[in-house]
Each structure stands twice: as structure tokens, then as C-alpha cells.
Amino acid sequence: MLNAKLLKLPIAAHQHRHEHHQIVIGVRGEAELSVGGTGAHLDTWKACVVPTEASHDYCGDDQNHVLVINLDPLTPAINTPAHADYERMMRFFEKPRTLQMDSRLQGLVQFTAGEFDRAPDNLTLQQHLASSILYCMADRIVDRQVQSSSRASISPEVVRRYILANLHRKITVEEMASEACLSVSRFHEVFREVAGITPHQFLLQTRLEQAAHLLASSSLSVSEISYRTGFSSQSALTNALRKYKGTTPSRLQINESVA
């Protein structure tokens, strides 16, 4: 009735159609889908809904991984009007659409991908996690209108790439707003609606994620990593890791996992 798997899309474009509903969710890298002639660019903050029988082209870069969720259209929630979830699911799959994920949903997707890697043979676990993603997405579609064009114009992944390109220096909200071609007040409002956190929180989160990655995977000193990730000092990085991640640089350097 419902199954899911992690895939790497081919670099060369392919086309097919199938007799089941499908959700394609960006996990790593970037991918391109064209569903019924409408293009969709997938990064780690976007997903694409492909209704049954919709012809679609797909390809990805050499880093891409996507989570694909397939749902049989004969599933009672889709096929039985008396089912409690029928209207919700029918509206969700009524047309091809691209979804911009907020931070909570994106976190659930990344957690799920990690569990798929950890337990590749646990199909029951995978089915439950995929079902949770499906219902979270359906709730977001049914409970509000698809995001307006001004919201869709902001991709947290694009902002994240800008931050990473300038990570060693001070980055202001004004600069991030300029990158999105919005005023500071409008950028702050729309970004929070799209990502679920403020631009400042997103900036700090990105700095900490990169610092944690470097601490766990490189031989650079804590002082050098502090500089490269935009913290004012080694103690500033240490305090931020302790406060927001519940760990320390020394623990990360011996590959202790973070919260």
C-alpha cells in the first residue's frame, strides 16, 4: 500500500509514468523533475508530488539522493470516500505540485533518511516514517493554501549556500534579505513562515552544523574552525555548541554524536 526508498537519480534525464501516487523529496544534492511539462528543482528543502499516471522527466547532480514515497491509489485513504482521510489525501494528490518544506518537516526527512541508512532492512520502520512524512505534508497543504509566489521565491537552501560561501565573516540579515531581493522586514516575515525559524537562528544553526562537521572530520584546531565558521573566538564556539548542541569541541573531535 505504501513503500519508500532512498534513491540516487541518474545524471542523464529519464522519463516514465506509473500507476501509483509518488512523492519525491530532496535529501542531498540537487535534482530536476518535470511533471506534465512543469519543471521542479529539488534541493534539501523541497519535494515534488507526482500523481498517478503523470508523465515525468527526472535527473540529478552527482551528489543527489532523494527519498521516494509510493502510494497505491487503491489504498482506502485514497479510494474510499467514507475513509476519514479520503478528502485530505485526494486534495493532496489532485495535481502535480512542488512543496517548500519548513524546518520541522525538513528535519523529519533528514532523520528518516538517516534511519533508512541505519536500518536498510527494517521495512516496517521505513513504512511508518514515510507515512508520517506523507501526513505531515498533506496537513500543510490542506490546512493552508500553497505558498504565495513571494514565499516560494525564498529557498532556505539558497540562503544556506550564501551563508556557507561567506561563513568566515560577519553576515547580516540585511545581506541575506538582499540576496532574496526583499526588504529586511519582509524577508524576516517570509523566511520565518517558510523555514519555521528566524534568519538569525538559521544563520547560527548553519554555522554550528558546519563547525560540528569540521570538528568531527578534520584535523583543524578549534581556533581555526572557530575562525572559518564565523565565531568571534574559540570560547564563543565552545559556548554555542554547549548551549545549542549539548556538546563540546573535544567531544566532537572524538566523534561523539550531537543532539
Side-chain angles (χ1 to χ4, degrees):
M1 291 180 15
L2 181 150
N3 65 74
K5 52 192 172 183
L6 280 175
L7 296 175
K8 183 171 183 178
L9 298 182
I11 295 176
H14 286 60
Q15 183 184 81
H16 68 190
R17 67 176 67 209
H18 35 66
E19 297 180 353
H20 54 264
H21 296 306
Q22 187 175 80
I23 310 170
V24 184
I25 310 168
V27 173
R28 289 187 290 276
E30 299 182 25
E32 300 288 340
L33 273 77
S34 178
V35 185
T38 301
H41 176 82
L42 294 189
D43 54 32
T44 57
W45 290 82
K46 289 193 181 134
C48 185
V49 176
V50 184
T52 180
E53 294 294 344
S55 177
H56 51 286
D57 300 86
Y58 55 94
C59 63
D61 65 16
D62 59 0
Q63 302 295 320
N64 91 87
H65 282 79
V66 295
L67 176 64
V68 176
I69 300 175
N70 297 316
L71 184 65
D72 188 335
L74 297 181
T75 299
I78 295 289
N79 194 51
T80 306
H83 194 281
D85 297 321
Y86 175 80
E87 182 177 352
R88 182 179 301 273
M89 289 299 156
M90 285 300 294
R91 290 179 62 184
F92 184 63
F93 288 108
E94 66 184 353
K95 62 181 180 181
R97 64 176 91 231
T98 301
L99 307 178
Q100 177 78 50
M101 295 186 287
D102 58 37
S103 62
R104 290 184 178 181
L105 185 51
Q106 198 257 7
L108 175 58
V109 168
Q110 293 297 322
F111 172 78
T112 296
E115 290 299 287
F116 274 48
D117 284 334
R118 184 189 65 81
D121 299 322
N122 192 335
L123 300 182
T124 301
L125 172 65
Q126 294 174 11
Q127 186 177 53
H128 281 296
L129 288 170
S131 180
S132 296
I133 291 172
L134 168 62
Y135 275 87
C136 285
M137 287 186 171
D139 276 347
R140 283 158 170 76
I141 290 297
V142 174
D143 292 345
R144 68 173 186 263
Q145 292 295 321
V146 178
Q147 293 153 337
S148 66
S149 58
S150 62
R151 294 179 187 178
S153 68
I154 292 184
S155 166
E157 183 63 22
V158 171
V159 176
R160 180 176 179 273
R161 286 199 293 267
Y162 175 79
I163 293 171
L164 291 176
N166 298 276
L167 197 62
H168 64 284
R169 65 175 185 83
K170 181 179 179 180
I171 300 171
T172 66
V173 176
E174 287 82 355
E175 290 173 325
M176 291 188 281
S178 178
E179 187 72 9
C181 299
L182 292 173
S183 69
V184 173
S185 59
R186 182 61 179 156
F187 174 75
H188 193 281
E189 175 188 354
V190 175
F191 189 90
R192 186 163 188 168
E193 290 178 359
V194 170
I197 55 178
T198 68
H200 178 73
Q201 290 169 330
F202 185 79
L203 172 61
L204 177 58
Q205 177 180 293
T206 304
R207 290 193 191 281
L208 285 172
E209 287 173 353
Q210 188 65 9
H213 171 72
L214 290 173
L215 285 164
S217 64
S218 76
S219 58
L220 294 171
S221 67
V222 178
S223 178
E224 176 65 18
I225 291 172
S226 300
Y227 167 75
R228 291 192 181 196
T229 54
F231 288 92
S232 59
S233 64
Q234 180 175 327
S235 62
L237 171 59
T238 300
N239 290 337
L241 282 170
R242 184 179 291 114
K243 180 177 180 180
Y244 295 104
K245 295 289 189 180
T247 189
T248 63
S250 58
R251 290 174 182 171
L252 287 170
Q253 287 174 324
I254 58 173
N255 294 319
E256 180 177 296
S257 62
V258 300

